[in-house]
Amino acid sequence: MKIIKRGKFVLAVAAAILVSGSVCACSTQESSELLEGKKVISQMQPQLPLQGGVTNTSQATVQPGFDSPEGAVKGYLTGLRESNLKYMTDTFSESMEIDDIMRQYAILCGLDLGEEGPVSLKNPAEVKVFVDNLESGIKAVDLKSVKLAGFVDPGDLDDAYTNQKHQENLIKIAKRYGGDKMVSCVAAVEVDGRKFLLIFDVIRKDGRWFNRQLGGIFANMSGMDRNEVGTLSLETADEQILKQMVPDFSKNLLEAETEHGALGSAVTNEEAGGFDSSQMAVRRYLEYLAANEQDKMIGTFAVESYVDHFDFRTRLESSGGYIFMQQEFNFPAVTDFTRDLNIESRKNDIRWNLLEQYNALGVFSEIDTADLVQKEDLDVSFALSELQKRLNTSSLKILGYISPEKLSETYGSSNFQDIRRRRMKAYGADDTESIAAVFELNGARYIICIDTVKYENRWFIRELGGELSSLLGFDYRCAGIMPADYMKNPDIDSLISPLS
């Protein structure tokens, strides 16, 4: 046996050789101890959710699955080659992890963003050098170059992967996620001349195959770091060994069309076009909250406009540093694909914001939501759909709004206005405004602070909570919502004005 060894990753390579152009069967298994030890979701707070770790935030897939595990992986890679993020995410089962796709993309592009830790950027000159290098690294990679040379049997890479106990555990795992079988696929790919092994978990549901996770079971078994998402960059010595298994990297198993036909458009707009005023944006949001129309609630937010106007350089100058996967946007939107990644990231942030809002209302209303928000494998979209059923918001009554200057003297100060202007520059916005709306729900009064943003004479919601909420000392996990009694102001009714 020969060994490929890099850091924590160890592959025992058997003598099996892939015939050029052929595809091997994918193997299956993971020990129950390993599964229990692999925690990919941060623990939730006892009452309020914290956004952290890798969370499932997409809608259910609309793709009807694939005939084989290899077909699901090929579909994902075809979407990558075509820079079609939607097609990539549609190859997954119930949910997809956009953070994992971003991590894999950074590795495939050779950006080295996650290896050195925080990057200190002391002045605009350092920011310029960093951003210029990042943009050039992204633009230099042509995703059209993505090739799939073949598949490597995980059982040939690790003998422990084929034992019966592990196979039985995989079936248990599959059933946990609504399937009847789980396998791991190891794909040998090439991107702009660089060779990689990409590891996938693939699940069968109702006779059809879907990707479930990048990396996952076999990557964890092999000692790969979770942040590597099953993506192993092969060095020269590794390539020599790999050639025994995939002798011809010039072959490409990706076809112009998948079994589902030509790729559809990757373009979908989330925002609804904006509103004439910041107050109207907030009013519409609360009306949609009362009607339990979550898609329309999301439509009141700046999504595409926010991404397209966001000033990546200004944000880094303001923060003084860059930490990969800790930024509001991890990539400058200099290609269609990084723009789509940023849009999906923005949508995920909004869904988290909504989840925090519903959870806060549940806590204040003494409605138990722990079974939905305190889960290891938290699926935000599923949680949102269930929370709106438990929290009947149909009785919500909009009472008006309170001028932020009446609630916080600091808000109107010159120092704070300077801070707002700097943030507005990072947003690329024409204007920003915080709105404190007052509403009644099930006999209780609440104040909700909402930050709004203006682009091209149209107003959108930027964030539930935000600047005014912070000045008032609201818990940041409550999405800007607090019972009106929190203000301890007996004259608060006199401060309320009609919401236009």
Side-chain angles (χ1 to χ4, degrees):
M1 288 213 175
K2 297 181 179 179
I3 300 294
I4 300 177
K5 185 173 184 179
R6 170 129 62 275
K8 297 180 180 179
F9 193 96
V10 179
L11 292 179
V13 182
I17 296 177
L18 269 180
V19 177
S20 176
S22 67
V23 180
C24 76
C26 299
S27 295
T28 65
Q29 63 226 343
E30 173 175 90
S31 66
S32 58
E33 293 83 4
L34 178 65
L35 177 67
E36 296 303 321
K38 182 164 72 71
K39 303 297 185 184
V40 299
I41 306 295
S42 296
Q43 293 295 322
M44 307 298 289
Q45 289 291 323
Q47 290 185 307
L48 299 174
L50 283 174
Q51 182 175 3
V54 179
T55 56
N56 300 328
T57 54
S58 75
Q59 302 296 328
T61 180
V62 297
Q63 193 123 334
F66 298 83
D67 293 335
S68 67
E70 296 88 355
V73 173
K74 288 171 66 177
Y76 175 89
L77 294 174
T78 299
L80 177 62
R81 185 190 63 187
E82 301 301 321
S83 298
N84 192 320
L85 182 61
K86 183 180 185 302
Y87 194 86
M88 294 166 66
T89 59
D90 281 346
T91 67
F92 286 78
S93 50
E94 291 85 359
S95 57
M96 111 5 242
E97 296 170 352
I98 189 64
D99 286 0
D100 283 357
I101 294 178
M102 287 191 286
R103 289 187 176 97
Q104 183 188 73
Y105 176 73
I107 295 172
L108 295 177
C109 290
L111 301 179
D112 296 329
L113 293 174
E115 295 183 359
E116 299 180 359
V119 178
S120 176
L121 302 169
K122 300 182 181 65
N123 52 60
E126 291 186 359
V127 170
K128 183 179 186 305
V129 171
F130 176 81
V131 175
D132 285 349
N133 288 337
L134 183 54
E135 289 183 350
S136 62
I138 291 171
K139 292 177 180 178
V141 175
D142 181 10
L143 293 180
K144 285 287 188 181
S145 69
V146 173
K147 295 180 180 179
L148 171 61
F151 290 88
V152 180
D153 191 329
D156 289 338
L157 301 176
D158 190 334
D159 294 339
Y161 200 72
T162 57
N163 67 65
Q164 183 176 352
K165 177 65 175 177
H166 191 67
Q167 298 288 336
E168 293 171 353
N169 284 332
L170 277 179
I171 293 175
K172 294 178 182 178
I173 298 167
K175 290 181 178 179
R176 177 182 300 179
Y177 295 108
D180 61 4
K181 190 172 183 179
M182 180 90 75
V183 304
S184 290
C185 282
V186 182
V189 305
E190 182 176 326
V191 182
D192 263 1
R194 294 188 293 269
K195 297 176 178 61
F196 300 88
L197 292 182
L198 305 185
I199 302 173
F200 297 76
D201 278 353
V202 191
I203 189 170
R204 187 174 67 187
K205 293 186 175 185
D206 299 322
R208 305 292 288 168
W209 289 94
F210 302 86
N211 292 313
R212 214 202 79 77
Q213 187 177 1
L214 303 181
I217 295 171
F218 184 64
N220 205 356
M221 284 186 65
S222 303
M224 292 189 74
D225 188 279
R226 177 67 182 81
N227 291 334
E228 293 177 294
V229 289
T231 306
L232 175 66
S233 179
L234 301 178
E235 297 175 356
T236 303
D238 301 330
E239 291 183 24
Q240 297 304 315
I241 298 174
L242 186 63
K243 284 180 179 178
Q244 298 180 56
M245 311 185 75
V246 187
D248 189 357
F249 257 93
S250 67
K251 298 293 185 181
N252 189 3
L253 301 184
L254 298 182
E255 301 170 354
E257 296 182 356
T258 68
E259 62 187 87
H260 298 293
L263 298 187
S265 172
V267 178
T268 56
N269 283 342
E270 291 292 334
E271 64 186 32
F275 303 88
D276 293 336
S277 68
S278 56
Q279 292 185 33
M280 182 59 70
V282 171
R283 169 174 282 280
R284 286 287 180 263
Y285 175 82
L286 293 175
E287 289 173 348
Y288 296 143
L289 172 60
N292 277 328
E293 295 183 282
Q294 289 183 4
D295 287 344
K296 291 184 178 180
M297 290 162 64
I298 293 174
T300 64
F301 283 77
V303 182
E304 291 81 9
S305 294
Y306 192 70
V307 168
D308 291 339
H309 288 87
F310 191 86
D311 192 324
F312 192 78
R313 293 173 189 259
T314 297
R315 173 49 65 85
L316 294 186
E317 289 175 3
S318 176
S319 64
Y322 176 94
I323 305 176
F324 184 52
M325 299 309 298
Q326 299 297 320
Q327 307 294 129
E328 183 169 13
F329 297 123
N330 291 287
F331 306 110
V334 292
T335 67
D336 289 343
F337 192 69
T338 54
R339 178 181 183 268
D340 286 347
L341 286 173
N342 288 353
I343 288 173
E344 192 62 38
S345 181
R346 172 68 174 156
K347 288 156 57 178
N348 285 354
D349 288 345
I350 293 170
R351 293 188 190 110
W352 259 106
N353 216 188
L354 299 188
L355 180 69
E356 292 169 337
Q357 166 206 257
Y358 278 113
N359 191 68
L361 286 174
V363 171
F364 297 140
S365 303
E366 298 183 350
I367 297 174
D368 186 17
T369 61
D371 60 314
L372 294 175
V373 300
Q374 297 180 24
K375 296 177 63 176
E376 289 181 3
D377 241 352
L378 175 64
D379 188 319
V380 172
S381 293
F382 174 76
L384 284 174
S385 66
E386 293 299 311
L387 282 168
Q388 71 175 6
K389 299 173 185 176
R390 295 188 192 182
L391 303 173
N392 184 1
T393 57
S394 60
S395 67
L396 188 149
K397 181 181 179 182
I398 302 171
L399 303 180
Y401 83 102
I402 302 176
S403 169
E405 290 83 1
K406 293 180 180 179
L407 292 174
S408 170
E409 293 182 0
T410 303
Y411 185 87
S413 68
S414 59
N415 287 339
F416 187 73
Q417 291 306 308
D418 286 342
I419 293 173
R420 287 185 62 229
R421 280 189 286 271
R422 289 197 296 271
R423 290 172 178 169
M424 188 168 68
K425 183 180 178 182
Y427 306 149
D430 302 325
D431 199 1
T432 62
E433 185 177 354
S434 294
I435 301 290
V438 184
F439 66 90
E440 186 176 284
L441 179 62
N442 298 327
R445 283 192 174 189
Y446 297 93
I447 294 176
I448 179 170
C449 298
I450 298 178
D451 278 0
T452 63
V453 62
K454 185 180 182 181
Y455 294 115
E456 299 176 5
N457 210 35
R458 305 299 291 169
W459 285 91
F460 305 85
I461 290 175
R462 195 193 74 82
E463 181 184 7
L464 305 180
E467 295 174 347
L468 181 60
S469 177
S470 297
L471 291 177
L472 296 176
F474 289 8
D475 190 307
Y476 72 95
R477 295 164 295 184
C478 291
I481 294 178
M482 275 290 165
D485 292 344
Y486 174 85
M487 303 305 299
K488 297 181 180 179
N489 186 340
D491 300 322
I492 196 167
D493 284 354
S494 66
L495 304 179
I496 301 175
S497 301
L499 196 62
S500 65

